[in-house]
Amino acid sequence: MSAPQGYIDPNFPNPLGPGDASIIIYGYTPSFALAVIASALFFLSLVVHLIQVVRYRTPYFSVLSIGLGLEVLGYVFRALSSRLDPYRVAFFVAQYFCIVVAPVFFSAAIYLVLQKLLLLAPLSKPLPLSPRSIIVIFLSFDLVTTVVQIVGAALIGSAESNRRSPTTPNNILLAGLSIQVASFGFFIVILALFTTRFLGEKSSSHVDVGRARIMIVTLSLCAALVELRTAFRLAETAQGVFGYLSSHEILFAFLEFLPILLTVLLFNAVHPGRFVRSAGTVRNVV
């Protein structure tokens, strides 16, 4: 009988329990240190964010806290994989679900801030999409493609657990990521168009222009980071379950963990409660 294709940790024998795959689906044994550091940093960002939501009275921005909570859970499951059983399919699927779903809430936060800016400072030349359409269209794409990704990841786990080929589930995952990269890329075009037109406006009596510009730059950076992370996931999936990108955790750290961490820290530093205000109230915001 031939050995299973994939990674087997020579220092961590497979328990061969009912919930274990024949290989470590991650392509490596997850780093316990990375999982703990990531959980701690996302938790600290979550605490700061919750304080900011209350202080600046921005309940619409609470979506970020949901994403942060999922990030914390995702890395907790990676820590469990590292310490208890890296072959356990349930741990892999749970961490994948949390870490894949979380950025949907960060994207939603970006959409909501752009909508708020559009409502506070209407452009003399409107965008192709209304503020409401931006939320409905792009959030719908994110939700559908994320469900497809979760289904694909769950099927990969099932295939590996039952020693079947993961090719078809991987293709499902690839389809979801491809559409997500394309749809968010289109949103970035809309954001760039808004930025160009807003900066081209002579003046605005409805919003503090200086603070709004800082917020727009932050939005652009966050959108680029989220797209970088999703593009990495797409390239990783395109290579297949046993590809180079999916089997080196250092790439996961720099192209999944780091972009998302920078995104939430940027929102902590440049919170819309401080930087998206009407001109008449901005002087009261510290």
Side-chain angles (χ1 to χ4, degrees):
M1 184 176 180
S2 61
Q5 183 184 10
Y7 179 71
I8 297 175
D9 190 340
N11 299 313
F12 203 127
N14 192 333
L16 297 175
D20 292 327
S22 59
I23 62 168
I24 298 176
I25 307 175
Y26 294 95
Y28 49 80
T29 298
S31 166
F32 183 72
L34 173 62
V36 170
I37 291 171
S39 298
L41 290 174
F42 282 122
F43 180 75
L44 288 174
S45 178
L46 171 60
V47 171
V48 172
H49 171 70
L50 289 174
I51 293 171
Q52 290 175 317
V53 166
V54 173
R55 180 178 183 182
Y56 300 124
R57 299 177 184 178
T58 50
Y60 73 92
F61 209 58
S62 296
V63 292
L64 199 74
S65 63
I66 300 173
L68 283 164
L70 286 170
E71 290 287 354
V72 173
L73 282 175
Y75 285 97
V76 166
F77 280 115
R78 287 180 74 90
L80 291 175
S81 287
S82 177
R83 276 293 187 263
L84 300 183
D85 184 0
Y87 300 88
R88 185 72 58 83
V89 173
F91 288 163
F92 171 81
V93 173
Q95 65 86 32
Y96 192 92
F97 171 85
C98 293
I99 293 175
V100 163
V101 171
V104 172
F105 292 95
F106 304 143
S107 297
I110 294 172
Y111 305 150
L112 286 167
V113 175
L114 178 58
Q115 181 191 51
K116 189 78 171 177
L117 283 166
L118 283 167
L119 292 174
L120 279 175
L123 298 171
S124 56
K125 185 179 181 182
L127 295 178
L129 298 175
S130 67
R132 177 179 172 78
S133 296
I134 288 173
I135 299 295
V136 172
I137 292 173
F138 292 111
L139 197 53
S140 296
F141 268 111
D142 281 346
L143 290 174
V144 171
T145 55
T146 300
V147 169
V148 172
Q149 291 173 59
I150 293 168
V151 169
L155 291 175
I156 287 174
S158 176
E160 291 294 349
S161 183
N162 293 287
R163 294 163 174 78
R164 298 195 307 267
S165 171
T167 302
T168 299
N170 195 70
N171 288 338
I172 293 173
L173 183 58
L174 184 63
L177 283 164
S178 298
I179 297 172
Q180 188 174 37
V181 167
S183 64
F184 199 73
F186 181 55
F187 169 76
I188 289 176
V189 172
I190 296 294
L191 178 58
L193 190 59
F194 167 78
T195 301
T196 302
R197 292 183 180 178
F198 180 83
L199 296 178
E201 297 279 324
K202 292 183 178 180
S203 64
S204 174
S205 59
H206 305 287
V207 69
D208 182 87
V209 176
R211 290 184 177 235
R213 286 176 176 172
I214 294 173
M215 191 74 250
I216 291 169
V217 170
T218 302
L219 276 187
S220 301
L221 289 173
C222 290
L225 288 166
V226 170
E227 183 76 335
L228 171 64
R229 170 261 169 200
T230 310
F232 162 68
R233 286 296 197 175
L234 175 61
E236 175 189 55
T237 305
Q239 283 191 352
V241 177
F242 309 114
Y244 182 86
L245 294 178
S246 62
S247 58
H248 290 76
E249 192 174 21
I250 187 68
L251 296 175
F252 171 89
F254 279 98
L255 296 172
E256 165 68 49
F257 161 65
L258 188 58
I260 296 302
L261 177 65
L262 291 175
T263 296
V264 298
L265 292 181
L266 278 169
F267 275 133
N268 283 138
V270 187
H271 195 276
R274 292 177 58 211
F275 290 86
V276 184
R277 291 275 182 159
S278 61
T281 61
V282 72
R283 64 179 179 274
N284 298 319
V285 181
V286 179

